[in-house]
Amino acid sequence: MSGLSRRGLLCSGASLAIASALSSPAQANRAVPQAEQLRPLLHLHTRRKTSLDGKWRYILDPYDAGRRGDNRRRTFWRNFTPPLTGPLVEYDWSASPEMVVPGDWNSQSPELLWYDDPIYYRRDIVGAAVSGHRKVLAFEGANYHSQLWLDSKAIGQHEGGFTPFAVDVTEALADGAAHGLTVAVDSRHHPEAVPTDYTDWQNYGGITRSVWLVDLPPTYIADWFVRLDGETVRIDVELAGAAVAGQRVAARLGGLRLEGRTQTNGKVTLAARRSPRLALWSPEKPTLHELRIESAGDSIAERIGLRTIATRGRELLLNGRPVYLRGIAMHEEPIGPVGTRRMSEADARRLLGEAKALGCNFVRLAHYPHSEATLRLADELGLIVWAEIPVYWEHIRYDSAHTLALARSMQADMIRRDRNRCSIALWSVANETPITDARNAFLRTLIADARALDPTRLLTAALNKNVDVGGAEEGTSVFTVTDPLGADLDVLAVNQYEAWYSERTPDQLKEVSFTTPYDKPLMFSEFGADALAGHRGPREHLWTEDYQAWLFAETLEMVERTPGCVGLSPWLLKDFRSPRRWHGRYQQFWNRKGLIGETGQRKLAFEVLRAHYAKLASR
Ligand code: GCB
């Protein structure tokens, strides 16, 4: 059986090598039985499945007693109800409280707001597979490290807070009875983690995205990658399971029919010329076509858009024509008074709706892979997407083999999960990472991986004005982007906070300019200022909406003057929780750089950017 092993690892050969490098050192001190690093089951939205969302019981373990494994009194993963007569056990699942999955724990109870340690979750699962089918337990995301047990037996572990993972549980569920599933989620980030424990966002812990029990037929369509290569539509299809070789594969995309037969490795590439009736996708007309693939008794259906993205010198081309990215950056945090990572489809629709109301054709989904539902919405709404993994700031251990292996597997899992989303134009490998040889080598490996997995996207990174591109030349306000990584990227992107984290006032932005010797498109991936929604005053006063609006007006003029600038994604759409934002009057643990406050209140700068984008769109 290729692709899906009986022990539950779901990946191709290339990913296996990465997976095996992941067993240390994060796990080194843990006394509980170790299991393999789990990889995703792809394309969950197309699968027959049962939801495991709802209430799960939990046990807090702030002293990490479970992992110390010092005695039988704290073995929370055991499928077990303590008998009245002993031996003594100091927990009882049936008496433990419940919380909602999916959802971070921080927002579910005041006592958990700052909780950053392990929590054990538990629920029963039932669902025997029928005649040769397989049952797979699939998590869309849990932050940060997850360890799984079924009926007291370790069945796998996963490191990384924003990518999916899955494990085959067919044999364990075969009798149709209820089986005890325990998941220990540890939200702590060790020094070699991605990201590290120092970020400018709340580290929401827990099973933050949906959990499913998926039904897989004996041979199934494990992966597909639809793309436009000139005027040719190509679809790579990969089967996994019992009989993958020599299978007929038939696909329909809109009115187009494609057909082929798999090789011994279960793979085939179908190709056909795009008919003019198969309209291209664009933000102005986000046309999606029904895709249906059938093979070996399995079939999948989803909606796919077709478009090309490329560069020509300093231009960015969508479907062969220059495009300007009218963007906004955003975290995965819904509009609402309580900060949370739990993002329903309705929440995502509301957030992306605000981006549309701004006049955006582009969103930077910072700083980690957002949920699949958000990306499908971007396809539907006509928003071009920048997607990234959390290789964030200088604290990443660029010299660590563990960290590199982890970043590579995260990126691979993100790309394989999302490469059929036509909205995605840019994969970003890093955010604000200072130039060193170790960092350059690390990021070049990620770039090479991304190009191999997806030759159809452009590669970028958010470079840091203050660290990477050098300050302005002596006596001038000219910033030159010379980061050596520029040679490896397709699009250069700069985060710059002139007039917020610098001495300048917004009117002095008139003197500032950005340039690069690279003959490549340049964009501004961040700029902004904190403003408390509703706080008004003279525009010179920090923290006022007026200051933020002024900074936006001046920065937008500077951006307009920048040669070869193909767009911008100011920081950011909505205020978001950040434990390092201490100002007692204005921040109270919220980063206030949103154009809307946490409850959706639009600030003055929203209108400044909206008017600017309206002007650009009418050109
Ligand atoms: C940045 C980071 C972003 C922060 C932002 C800020 O450069 O990329 O994650 O939240 O600055 O507000 O300082």
Side-chain angles (χ1 to χ4, degrees):
M1 176 187 301
S2 86
L4 173 57
S5 89
R6 280 180 190 262
R7 291 164 67 217
L9 200 63
L10 292 130
C11 55
S12 65
S15 319
L16 268 167
I18 296 169
S20 60
L22 284 174
S23 50
S24 66
Q27 313 307 320
N29 302 325
R30 300 202 169 134
V32 291
Q34 291 308 307
E36 52 203 322
Q37 167 83 356
L38 301 174
R39 308 307 298 275
L41 176 67
L42 299 170
H43 315 302
L44 284 176
H45 61 291
T46 66
R47 291 276 151 222
R48 265 195 32 216
K49 56 193 183 301
T50 312
S51 171
L52 298 179
D53 293 349
K55 289 191 171 159
W56 293 42
R57 292 204 184 270
Y58 71 94
I59 290 177
L60 294 191
D61 189 13
Y63 285 178
D64 215 356
R67 285 190 215 260
R68 290 174 204 268
D70 49 2
N71 58 47
R72 290 172 62 84
R73 301 208 305 271
R74 303 178 184 98
T75 47
F76 308 126
W77 59 88
R78 279 167 69 210
N79 194 29
F80 172 75
T81 306
L84 293 174
T85 55
L88 176 69
V89 171
E90 294 197 54
Y91 65 92
D92 182 344
W93 275 108
S94 67
S96 288
E98 293 177 322
M99 78 162 103
V100 175
V101 169
D104 57 275
W105 58 59
N106 313 78
S107 60
Q108 296 201 38
S109 138
E111 71 178 8
L112 296 179
L113 177 61
W114 299 111
Y115 189 83
D116 197 15
D117 280 302
I119 286 191
Y120 288 73
Y121 289 79
R122 205 204 120 99
R123 64 160 289 153
D124 280 344
I125 54 173
V126 199
V130 291
S131 59
H133 283 225
R134 315 231 31 112
K135 284 284 179 195
V136 176
L137 183 60
F139 288 74
E140 290 193 31
N143 189 35
Y144 167 77
H145 181 273
S146 307
Q147 175 125 21
L148 279 58
W149 295 265
L150 193 58
D151 297 333
S152 316
K153 196 171 145 259
I155 55 168
Q157 54 105 11
H158 181 259
E159 180 170 359
F162 304 97
T163 42
F165 52 96
V167 58
D168 186 330
V169 290
T170 314
E171 269 82 48
L173 297 194
D175 59 7
H179 293 267
L181 171 68
T182 311
V183 186
V185 181
D186 187 347
S187 62
R188 293 170 300 178
H189 291 62
H190 57 88
E192 290 175 78
V194 179
T196 66
D197 60 359
Y198 194 53
T199 59
D200 189 26
W201 68 82
Q202 171 112 23
N203 180 35
Y204 292 112
I207 304 177
T208 52
R209 296 183 184 154
S210 289
V211 187
W212 306 98
L213 193 56
V214 184
D215 177 271
L216 288 180
T219 302
Y220 64 98
I221 307 167
D223 195 10
W224 54 95
F225 178 25
V226 185
R227 60 199 190 281
L228 199 54
D229 180 2
E231 279 304 299
T232 305
V233 175
R234 292 192 200 284
I235 312 180
D236 296 335
V237 180
E238 183 175 354
L239 302 187
V244 299
Q247 295 280 6
R248 182 177 164 269
V249 179
R252 266 202 336 261
L253 180 64
L256 202 66
R257 285 171 187 279
L258 304 93
E259 226 184 278
R261 199 167 279 283
T262 58
Q263 300 156 353
T264 47
N265 61 6
K267 296 183 185 181
V268 62
T269 297
L270 314 178
R273 215 178 146 68
R274 180 178 75 92
S275 81
R277 287 214 313 276
L278 220 49
L280 296 181
W281 181 95
S282 70
E284 295 72 37
K285 230 168 163 266
T287 313
L288 299 177
H289 307 284
E290 294 296 324
L291 169 72
R292 205 176 165 81
I293 306 178
E294 289 175 7
S295 186
D298 191 19
S299 73
I300 64 90
E302 68 163 337
R303 298 200 300 157
I304 293 282
L306 295 173
R307 51 108 198 91
T308 60
I309 186 86
T311 63
R312 184 173 58 203
R314 295 189 182 227
E315 286 179 316
L316 185 63
L317 306 176
L318 180 73
N319 298 328
R321 300 231 297 272
V323 61
Y324 189 86
L325 301 175
R326 305 187 308 269
I328 193 72
M330 65 178 72
H331 268 286
E332 187 174 54
E333 224 189 59
I335 297 170
V338 179
T340 174
R341 175 100 336 122
R342 180 195 161 92
M343 184 80 129
S344 69
E345 197 181 316
D347 293 328
R349 204 174 271 282
R350 186 160 173 219
L351 211 51
L352 294 181
E354 285 295 297
K356 292 291 285 187
L358 259 179
C360 291
N361 62 4
F362 171 63
V363 284
R364 176 181 174 198
L365 300 182
H367 279 298
Y368 38 76
H370 287 219
S371 74
E372 287 185 71
T374 300
L375 287 154
R376 281 198 301 279
L377 269 180
D379 277 9
E380 178 192 315
L381 297 173
L383 286 163
I384 300 170
V385 168
W386 157 316
E388 65 191 80
I389 55 167
V391 175
Y392 183 83
W393 283 355
E394 64 270 31
H395 316 95
I396 294 281
R397 285 280 304 275
Y398 298 103
D399 57 348
S400 152
H402 173 82
T403 309
L404 179 60
L406 182 58
R408 293 180 74 186
S409 76
M410 263 181 205
Q411 181 180 260
D413 291 349
M414 171 181 76
I415 292 178
R416 292 177 72 226
R417 192 193 75 167
D418 295 336
R419 62 188 170 175
N420 285 316
R421 300 284 71 81
C422 58
S423 50
I424 297 181
L426 293 159
W427 301 120
S428 168
V429 293
N431 182 77
E432 297 183 354
T433 54
I435 301 162
T436 62
D437 288 347
R439 167 270 202 181
N440 295 344
F442 187 104
L443 297 184
R444 282 181 181 134
T445 304
L446 291 180
I447 291 169
D449 281 359
R451 292 202 192 283
L453 279 165
D454 180 4
T456 74
R457 295 319 195 290
L458 301 175
L459 270 289
T460 191
L463 309 174
N464 184 336
K465 181 217 82 174
N466 299 315
V467 189
D468 292 325
V469 307
E473 281 154 42
E474 193 70 44
T476 77
S477 307
V478 180
F479 295 92
T480 308
V481 183
T482 54
D483 188 322
L485 204 69
D488 305 85
L489 300 171
D490 301 309
V491 175
L492 306 181
V494 181
N495 291 357
Q496 68 81 25
Y497 282 90
E498 280 301 304
W500 187 251
Y501 297 131
S502 82
E503 298 290 302
R504 286 191 177 80
T505 52
D507 51 325
Q508 290 171 330
L509 277 159
K510 292 193 173 33
E511 304 148 16
V512 170
S513 63
F514 281 79
T515 163
T516 180
Y518 293 111
D519 187 29
K520 297 186 177 187
L522 177 69
M523 61 175 289
F524 290 90
S525 36
E526 287 182 28
F527 64 83
D530 283 61
L532 179 63
H535 179 47
R536 301 292 307 274
R539 69 178 195 177
E540 289 78 16
H541 286 192
L542 300 177
W543 309 105
T544 59
E545 287 193 23
D546 309 68
Y547 186 94
Q548 188 192 39
W550 185 30
L551 180 140
F552 264 72
E554 295 287 352
T555 309
L556 293 174
E557 277 186 24
M558 186 273 286
V559 170
E560 277 278 271
R561 288 196 309 272
T562 306
C565 179
V566 295
L568 62 158
S569 51
W571 194 248
L572 81 170
L573 185 59
K574 186 193 77 73
D575 291 356
F576 62 99
R577 293 277 307 175
S578 173
R580 61 195 283 283
R581 300 295 172 178
W582 307 275
H583 198 296
R585 184 164 299 121
Y586 304 118
Q587 293 179 308
Q588 295 174 323
F589 305 113
W590 292 88
N591 182 313
R592 296 290 184 197
K593 293 191 187 70
L595 294 179
I596 58 180
E598 74 273 23
T599 54
Q601 189 179 349
R602 291 182 183 173
K603 305 179 192 174
L604 288 181
F606 186 100
E607 178 51 27
V608 174
L609 188 61
R610 196 206 58 75
H612 181 71
Y613 283 166
K615 189 183 78 192
L616 292 181
S618 67
R619 277 184 190 162

